[in-house]
Amino acid sequence: MNDINRASFDRYMMPNYAPVGVIPVTGQGSRLFDQANREYIDFAGGIAVNALGHAHPKLVAALTDQASKLWHVSNILANEPALALAKMLTEVTFADKVFFSNSGGEANEAALKLARRYAHDTYGKHKDEIIAFSGGFHGRTLFTVSVGGQSDYSSGFGPLPQSITHLPFNDIEALEQAISKKTCAVIVEPIQGESGVVDADHQFLAAIRKLCNTNQALMILDEVQTGVGRTGHLYAYQRYEITPDILTTAKALGGGFPIAATLTTSEIAKVLVVGSHGSTFGGNPLACAVALAALNLINTPSVLNGVNKRRELICAGLERIANKTGCAIGVRGQGLLIGWVLRPDWHGRAREIMHAAQSSGVLVLVASPNVVRLAPSLVIPTGDIEEGLGRLEQGMMALAEGS
Ligand SMILES: *Cc1c(COP(=O)(O)O)cnc(C)c1O
């Protein structure tokens, strides 16, 4: 791969991303190594995907073991890993039934279609309204960008799907005013990861649950980013006494292998009759074998309890850096989904911070122009956390002195 470098991106790839200059070649735990064998501590975790770090031996074993057995059979045949994973997901959540796909956007597409179809078949075709929230993110299909609350992502792609209402996030009164018997579903994230790591208030989630019940609407919880241990609970809803009707999960589910799932009850699932929805690769044996291994590793007290211990360590380090540089006012989010909120005089500099961090050997993410995001592996070693924070401090000191 001698002639492959960052310039190849501009030459051969569509310009819808702006990757940084380094190209990682290998990963080991929470460390990445680039083409020049320079090493980085990974606080980005593939955007909340690599929940067990890179090249976890048990995931590599699950993948290679399945790779020598069976890769793909299509949906005219069932396969063992998919059935075992579906069984496990129903045992560890509220759900009775599972639909597999390959990405968070597809899992939400299925959830939204399911909600429309359930309302259509149960109450009639007038009940088609979907309520969503500004700042929300649910994927990049045409339906999910239309439901998402960032108009930049849907503008220029019209005509868009209809009967979608956007309301302010965490505003119970606005929801009380808007929801009606015409509403078929309300979709919400427990934490809005893509628009600045903004937590949904507990009372807001409780109000959605209650108002959905009184209006015969379904509550769809998008746990694509918060699920699979990220918050210190297997799913974020499990911290509250609020059960959704439909839950979507993706990102960390395969520990880095693409897989997603839409979970629901038997009562709702029954409207997806044979032929009503599908996916060629969804539920393929390779993805499901890896996800089964990942879920078994993550759904243990030691991993889940370790999440908040690691959060405390990281947040203490971020506070130390903020005290030295004056860059940030505090943190948001839960568990290892951390939003580091910049002080007003640092507003707009999250991307610059990401680059400075990378130059000092640590990878972080941007959640919005004013919020840096960290979503490291749930099992990142304490030593890597400390070293990564040290490097971040160096990068931030350089930025602070330069500004
Ligand atoms: C990342 C994300 C999605 C989209 O997932 P893809 O796998 O990119 O399609 C949807 N919802 C939330 C909350 C996400 O964080």
Side-chain angles (χ1 to χ4, degrees):
M1 308 249 181
N2 284 338
D3 58 340
I4 295 297
N5 52 42
R6 176 59 178 79
S8 314
F9 181 90
D10 299 329
R11 172 76 181 79
Y12 301 113
M13 304 268 288
M14 291 205 200
N16 58 310
Y17 303 120
V20 298
V22 300
I23 299 182
V25 180
T26 54
Q28 202 50 248
S30 283
R31 303 204 179 218
L32 283 170
F33 301 86
D34 71 7
Q35 290 178 307
N37 211 28
R38 203 176 156 224
E39 174 243 325
Y40 301 85
I41 290 178
D42 186 6
F43 284 171
I47 317 188
V49 167
N50 302 303
L52 294 165
H54 301 277
H56 189 289
K58 292 209 168 129
L59 297 193
V60 174
L63 180 66
T64 49
D65 179 52
Q66 186 61 41
S68 59
K69 286 186 188 156
L70 189 67
W71 287 24
H72 179 81
V73 290
S74 92
N75 298 303
I76 64 160
L77 299 164
N79 71 78
E80 284 182 355
L83 298 173
L85 179 62
K87 176 171 184 278
M88 178 162 185
L89 283 167
T90 64
E91 286 164 358
V92 298
T93 67
F94 73 96
D96 311 311
K97 302 282 181 178
V98 179
F99 170 77
F100 289 120
S101 55
N102 313 286
S103 66
E106 283 172 81
N108 284 325
E109 182 85 20
L112 295 163
K113 283 180 68 181
L114 175 61
R116 281 256 176 98
R117 185 67 180 257
Y118 179 73
H120 175 276
D121 291 6
T122 314
Y123 304 102
K125 69 176 191 222
H126 66 283
K127 194 173 176 69
D128 62 5
E129 183 202 34
I130 290 161
I131 292 181
F133 300 101
S134 39
F137 182 74
H138 304 296
R140 299 290 199 154
T141 67
L142 196 59
F143 201 171
T144 55
V145 287
S146 307
V147 168
Q150 288 164 287
S151 54
D152 282 0
Y153 295 164
S154 59
S155 80
F157 294 115
L160 303 176
Q162 296 298 296
S163 201
I164 297 163
T165 302
H166 292 100
L167 300 177
F169 191 54
N170 276 332
D171 188 337
I172 295 174
E173 217 169 289
L175 181 63
E176 283 168 345
Q177 298 284 317
I179 198 169
S180 73
K181 299 285 180 206
K182 210 181 144 338
T183 309
C184 71
V186 177
I187 183 166
V188 65
E189 295 152 88
I191 303 170
Q192 289 188 333
E194 297 302 308
S195 60
V197 189
V198 185
D199 298 82
D201 298 335
H202 182 180
Q203 301 92 305
F204 181 60
L205 294 174
I208 293 175
R209 179 65 279 173
K210 188 171 136 255
L211 290 164
C212 280
N213 288 350
T214 49
N215 290 279
Q216 287 86 46
L218 302 182
M219 177 176 184
I220 304 173
L221 201 60
D222 180 347
E223 291 233 32
V224 168
Q225 190 154 165
T226 53
V228 198
R230 181 63 39 198
T231 66
H233 300 264
L234 189 63
Y235 286 96
Y237 84 86
Q238 291 168 335
R239 177 177 161 198
Y240 310 114
E241 274 154 25
I242 296 161
T243 305
D245 299 298
I246 304 176
L247 180 148
T248 55
T249 176
K251 288 201 164 88
L253 184 58
F257 201 94
I259 180 168
T262 306
L263 313 182
T264 193
T265 62
S266 300
E267 157 67 15
I268 297 165
K270 71 179 197 283
V271 301
L272 279 200
V273 296
V274 173
S276 59
H277 194 57
S279 161
T280 293
F281 292 122
N284 74 80
L286 272 183
C288 292
V290 181
L292 196 59
L295 208 54
N296 268 311
L297 286 165
I298 291 168
N299 193 29
T300 57
S302 71
V303 171
L304 294 177
N305 295 337
V307 166
N308 279 307
K309 289 187 198 127
R310 288 171 171 81
R311 178 187 178 85
E312 280 167 31
L313 208 58
I314 293 174
C315 290
L318 294 177
E319 196 179 329
R320 187 185 73 220
I321 299 170
N323 286 340
K324 284 194 182 168
T325 59
C327 64
I329 54 171
V331 294
R332 290 199 296 240
Q334 292 171 30
L336 287 171
L337 181 52
I338 300 173
W340 199 25
V341 185
L342 300 180
R343 222 175 65 175
D345 51 325
W346 282 69
H347 274 184
R349 297 184 72 181
R351 185 158 266 278
E352 203 187 329
I353 291 172
M354 178 182 80
H355 285 282
Q358 180 230 305
S359 304
S360 10
V362 56
L363 303 178
V364 300
L365 298 162
V366 167
S368 78
N370 307 332
V371 182
V372 175
R373 177 172 36 161
L374 281 67
S377 153
L378 308 183
V379 295
I380 183 172
T382 307
D384 288 7
I385 292 177
E386 279 161 1
E387 205 174 327
L389 287 167
R391 294 181 190 183
L392 185 61
E393 180 170 337
Q394 271 174 21
M396 293 303 295
M397 293 299 278
L399 265 192
E401 278 152 25
S403 64

